[in-house]
Amino acid sequence: MKSPICDLLGIEFPLFAFSHCRDVVAAVSRAGGFGVLGATGLTPQTVHTELKWIDEHVGGKPYGLDILFPENMATSGERGVTYNSLKSRIPEAHKAFAAELLASAGIEQQTFESSDDRAQPFDPEQALRTLEAAFEHPIKLIANALGVPPPEMIEMGKKHGVPVAALVGAKEHAIRQVNAGVDILVVQGTEAGGHCGEVTTMVLVPEVLKAIKTIRDVPVLAAGGIMNGSQMAACMAMGAAGVWTGSVWLATTESETTPIFRERMIEASSRDAVRVKTRTGKPARQLRSAWTEAWERSPNSPGALPMPLMTLVSESALRSVNRAAEAGNPKARDMVTYFVGQGVGLIDSVRSAGQVVQDFKEEFLEAVERMNALLEE
């Protein structure tokens, strides 16, 4: 396919794959798409390990990096915040509710007392150092979500000649991002997994394209619930330059997800992808489970804490859930959850990442041929 964004990034097919798994990133780029490694949680040291592996396995194909710089957190403006310092801010009600949920399923309870001097989740200072370290590798794109990238990120992109992308969930967000100088917009509808807004992809993409037309020509990648090539063709018919995908890669053989979660994806319907705040403190879509239902529907639930405090409550507990589920605990299996979009209802099998790319290409061509046939009638 010949398109400006393919020429800009040196790719064959404008299918972007966001994944926390380096194996998925490398496989998608090798197959002609563009893999993007989710680097939230990586440090300047660990990012080298991950990117060195990708460099050795991507076959010289381009890939990118996604790193989170939230504009608004409970700790915004504070410096040197660690896990230890955050633990004291977690109310006893939230600790107790999480512990009771685990105990009710026969899962060993988490503790909050162990020493942990790591930087807080989503720490902006560490994220900048990690991004700077990443530029020692041949990354071809950097992306940010949850707000306008910090000026330092945009400057790094310019310095290294690497486009800066930003995720948006509303027209107003897109206008801010374009005025801030980003190079690519990832326009993400509410169908998406992870952090998302309230407007659907089908509405948001043309709305953003119309809003930015008079400001600056910025390529738009459609995102949110996109699981196949026919959806990709529909988005590009609306004016998108390509698509940004995430959930579809969770059901691949290379994915970081557990076999149990992949089984639960196949079992799920689109209505089982619920948008809640009780995972990170911001609205994020994930797979419905006994864990999400308890936090959202139990009369005893203390509700969500702001980011990043809620992450401390949920992530350590859910790691314990996964371990217990893998050990054969059926109640723990019912609690297993992960970020996933409404497109989960379209998942009916586990495939390799390379096969997913191939299927996207074939489905895209079939959709284009159907449209061409209609025009010829």
Side-chain angles (χ1 to χ4, degrees), residues 33-370:
F34 191 91
V36 182
L37 181 69
T40 300
L42 295 183
T43 67
Q45 294 73 37
T46 57
V47 77
H48 281 306
T49 302
E50 297 298 294
L51 298 189
K52 183 176 183 293
W53 187 95
I54 293 174
D55 293 340
E56 294 170 350
H57 292 82
V58 78
K61 299 290 186 177
Y63 67 91
L65 192 76
D66 181 290
I67 196 158
L68 205 59
F69 288 96
E71 278 192 287
N72 298 304
M73 293 201 300
T75 55
S76 293
E78 299 182 37
R79 299 177 65 88
V81 181
T82 65
Y83 272 75
N84 272 340
S85 63
L86 284 181
K87 288 172 185 175
S88 63
R89 307 187 198 184
I90 298 173
E92 289 300 322
H94 290 77
K95 296 179 186 179
F97 189 72
E100 288 166 9
L101 283 179
L102 295 179
S104 70
I107 301 170
E108 184 178 351
Q109 296 182 6
Q110 71 207 7
T111 62
F112 289 87
E113 289 74 30
S114 59
S115 178
D116 194 339
D117 291 323
R118 289 178 297 161
Q120 66 174 326
F122 319 113
D123 184 74
E125 296 175 40
Q126 176 166 282
L128 279 174
R129 293 194 300 272
T130 300
L131 184 58
E132 190 172 20
F135 275 111
E136 296 181 28
H137 301 264
I139 53 176
K140 300 300 182 185
L141 174 78
I142 53 176
N144 177 56
L146 294 180
V148 175
E152 297 93 333
M153 182 176 182
I154 294 176
E155 287 303 314
M156 281 189 204
K158 290 180 179 177
K159 176 183 175 181
H160 294 277
V162 172
V164 178
L167 277 72
V168 301
K171 176 185 71 175
E172 296 78 13
H173 300 164
I175 292 170
R176 286 185 63 213
Q177 298 281 13
V178 171
N179 287 331
V182 302
D183 303 297
I184 298 169
L185 289 176
V186 179
V187 178
Q188 179 179 268
T190 191
E191 301 95 324
H195 297 106
C196 60
E198 299 174 300
V199 184
T200 68
T201 306
M202 183 67 74
V203 171
L204 188 60
V205 169
E207 186 179 30
V208 166
L209 285 166
K210 182 179 178 181
I212 67 172
K213 186 175 181 179
T214 58
I215 305 173
R216 186 160 55 89
D217 185 18
V218 177
V220 163
L221 299 176
I226 300 167
M227 310 293 279
N228 59 51
S230 61
Q231 291 174 294
M232 179 179 181
C235 290
M236 294 183 71
M238 290 192 294
V243 295
W244 179 281
T245 56
S247 298
V248 68
W249 311 105
L250 299 177
T252 60
T253 53
E254 296 92 341
S255 171
E256 76 276 16
T257 57
T258 65
I260 289 174
F261 180 75
R262 294 175 205 165
E263 291 171 6
R264 298 205 66 226
M265 287 183 72
I266 293 171
E267 296 165 0
S269 73
S270 58
R271 286 179 291 183
D272 290 319
V274 293
R275 182 175 177 266
V276 298
K277 290 185 177 181
T278 49
R279 180 69 178 260
T280 69
K282 292 183 181 292
R285 197 174 294 284
Q286 60 189 296
L287 189 68
R288 188 195 308 274
S289 75
W291 173 269
T292 65
E293 291 295 281
W295 279 97
E296 293 299 312
R297 299 183 184 277
S298 170
N300 299 320
S301 172
L305 293 168
M307 180 182 273
L309 297 173
M310 197 65 213
T311 299
L312 265 70
V313 176
S314 62
E315 293 306 319
S316 57
L318 288 171
R319 283 194 292 271
S320 298
V321 166
N322 286 336
R323 285 194 295 269
E326 290 171 6
N329 181 329
K331 289 185 177 180
R333 187 185 189 279
D334 291 340
M335 283 192 179
V336 169
T337 183
Y338 195 60
F339 302 109
V340 72
Q342 290 179 325
V344 68
L346 296 171
I347 294 292
D348 58 10
S349 64
V350 176
R351 298 169 286 170
S352 70
Q355 185 60 55
V356 172
V357 176
Q358 184 60 34
D359 290 345
F360 257 85
K361 291 178 179 178
E362 293 175 2
E363 292 156 357
F364 179 89
L365 289 173
E366 289 171 2
V368 171
E369 289 170 359
R370 286 195 296 269

